Amino acid sequence: MVDTRTCDYSGEEIEPGTGTMYVKTDGTILHFKDAKAEKNYFLGREARDLEWTAEGQAAGGETETEQAEE
């Protein structure tokens, strides 16, 4: 049985044979669906601030510009 994984940044399912696994020096394992999720993680962006992530959609999808206007 093939094990499906979930992207630790975007919350999307990763198809078997795709994606990237990153292992930190402390032993923590991170799975990324694509380079977009991986780059945003390493840039330090919060997933809840981006509309295309599961956390961002759950938070209402407010962008930084919408927050600044309020």
Side-chain angles (χ1 to χ4, degrees), residues 3-14:
D3 186 27
T4 59
R5 303 197 188 289
T6 305
C7 179
D8 290 320
Y9 189 78
S10 66
E12 298 178 17
E13 286 193 18
I14 303 172

Side-chain angles (χ1 to χ4, degrees), residues 5-60:
R5 303 197 188 289
T6 305
C7 179
D8 290 320
Y9 189 78
S10 66
E12 298 178 17
E13 286 193 18
I14 303 172
E15 293 183 24
T18 63
T20 304
M21 181 175 69
Y22 179 79
V23 181
K24 292 177 149 185
T25 55
D26 63 358
T28 306
I29 299 173
L30 300 171
H31 297 278
F32 299 104
K33 178 177 175 138
D34 52 13
K36 179 180 179 180
E38 186 177 359
K39 289 176 185 178
N40 278 290
Y41 174 81
F42 289 120
L43 286 173
R45 295 183 177 151
E46 294 291 332
R48 66 177 178 260
D49 294 337
L50 303 171
E51 294 179 11
W52 57 272
T53 63
E55 288 183 31
Q57 291 172 355

